[in-house]
Amino acid sequence: MSEENKPEETTVPTPPVGEDEKEECNAGSTSEGSVESKAEASEPPAGASTPATDAAAERAAARAARLAARAATEAGEPAPAGAATPASADAGSDEEKAAKAQAAAEARAARAAARGAKPESADPATPKEPSPNQPLLDRLVAILKAEAGEDAVVESFINERDAHRPYVVIHSSRWPQAALTLRDNAELRCDYLRNLSGVDQETHLEVAYHLLSLTHKHEYCVKVKTDREQPSIPSVADVWPTANWNEREAFDLFGIDFPGHPNLVRIMMPDDWVGHPLRKDYEPLDPEV
């Protein structure tokens, strides 16, 4: 293309800058410079220290002094001279720990005393209310003493944990007559033996009889104690047929003899088994059993 045919270049004129615009530009540059100078002024010098770094340095120095003093003590050497200052600095913290420990001990003692103290609402002068089954127990004891002998009842009490059940302990020599009284007396009518179980009390053996009156809907528990070395309690299998197998079980597992039983042989263990497994002094011959 020849130069004559080239299009003419157009230029856009630049508007003149006014005085106001010049001032705004100068002001912007001045403010930016002032912000930068402030930021530079706020930054600490490279070698300057802050309170946080000073505290960390002090803690590190104190720790190092304590370690040095401990090492010197273990080695039998005198502690460094600078070790006294950190120790004295830690004296306050040790006193605070001791004070906190004492306060905790006092709080524990106060809680223990509060637990041991009776509630304010409880009046120590107020007598304990009798059991609702106390009349049943009193009448049971009176009947047994009248019909089985004055010395028939060794002990009597109400077992509150067992639904306030009346309990009596009968002398073994009086047990046959006491059993008949319990079954045949019109006020008692204990015609059902619910359970019979042997118990090893370590100092002696005993048998517990749980009796039920189907007529009066009353329940009693009778215990008969016996010697541990030669345990023997008269059988009541002829009074309550339920006692037949139960006495055989007590004989098998506890070694209690029941004179008068029609067939007192083992019921669970083999006839040649040595010992009675439910006694607390039982030692099996075969450790795997």
Side-chain angles (χ1 to χ4, degrees):
M1 180 181 295
S2 62
E3 294 181 359
E4 295 178 356
N5 296 328
K6 290 181 178 180
E8 295 181 359
E9 298 179 355
T10 58
T11 59
V12 179
T14 303
V17 179
E19 295 296 332
D20 296 338
E21 295 178 354
K22 290 181 180 181
E23 292 178 358
E24 290 178 359
C25 291
N26 294 334
S29 60
T30 304
S31 61
E32 292 176 357
S34 62
V35 170
E36 294 176 357
S37 61
K38 289 179 180 180
E40 293 176 356
S42 62
E43 295 179 356
S49 61
T50 63
T53 56
D54 292 343
E58 291 178 0
R59 287 195 297 270
R63 190 180 301 109
R66 286 196 300 270
L67 293 175
R70 187 182 303 167
T73 303
E74 294 176 355
E77 300 177 356
T85 302
S88 60
D90 291 340
S93 61
D94 294 340
E95 293 178 357
E96 292 178 358
K97 291 179 181 179
K100 291 180 179 179
Q102 183 178 358
E106 293 176 354
R108 287 194 297 270
R111 288 194 297 269
R115 286 194 298 268
K118 294 183 179 179
E120 295 180 358
S121 59
D123 186 2
T126 304
K128 183 179 178 180
E129 295 184 1
S131 169
N133 288 335
Q134 187 64 43
L136 286 177
L137 177 62
D138 295 340
R139 189 57 186 156
L140 173 64
V141 171
I143 294 173
L144 289 174
K145 287 185 176 182
E147 298 189 14
E150 191 65 27
D151 59 345
V153 179
V154 179
E155 183 183 359
S156 63
F157 57 94
I158 293 290
N159 190 340
E160 296 181 357
R161 295 185 177 181
D162 191 12
H164 288 261
R165 194 183 312 279
Y167 273 60
V168 290
V169 180
I170 303 296
H171 196 280
S172 60
S173 63
R174 300 290 187 177
W175 175 228
Q177 181 59 42
L180 291 174
T181 301
L182 286 165
R183 186 193 66 178
D184 299 336
N185 184 273
E187 294 186 43
L188 301 179
R189 291 294 183 193
C190 295
D191 43 15
Y192 178 60
L193 176 61
R194 172 173 288 178
N195 184 43
L196 182 159
S197 58
V199 184
D200 185 352
Q201 299 288 8
E202 295 186 352
T203 58
H204 65 276
L205 300 178
E206 65 185 27
V207 175
Y209 303 82
H210 288 265
L211 301 171
L212 172 63
S213 172
L214 298 176
T215 304
H216 303 298
K217 304 299 187 293
H218 296 159
E219 296 187 38
Y220 306 95
C221 181
V222 179
K223 289 187 175 184
V224 181
K225 299 180 180 180
T226 183
D227 181 65
R228 185 181 184 84
E229 300 302 326
Q230 295 181 347
S232 178
I233 297 175
S235 175
V236 290
D238 57 340
V239 180
W240 297 289
T242 310
N244 191 317
W245 282 20
N246 288 342
E247 288 180 349
R248 287 178 59 187
E249 182 180 2
F251 166 75
D252 189 0
L253 302 180
F254 291 93
I256 302 175
D257 185 27
F258 292 93
H261 191 282
N263 185 28
L264 193 62
V265 295
R266 286 186 183 268
I267 193 173
M268 300 180 68
M269 312 304 294
D271 292 337
D272 59 349
W273 191 267
V274 178
H276 306 282
L278 289 189
R279 289 184 63 138
K280 294 182 179 179
D281 57 356
Y282 172 69
E283 295 183 3
L285 298 179
D286 188 353
E288 296 182 359
V289 178

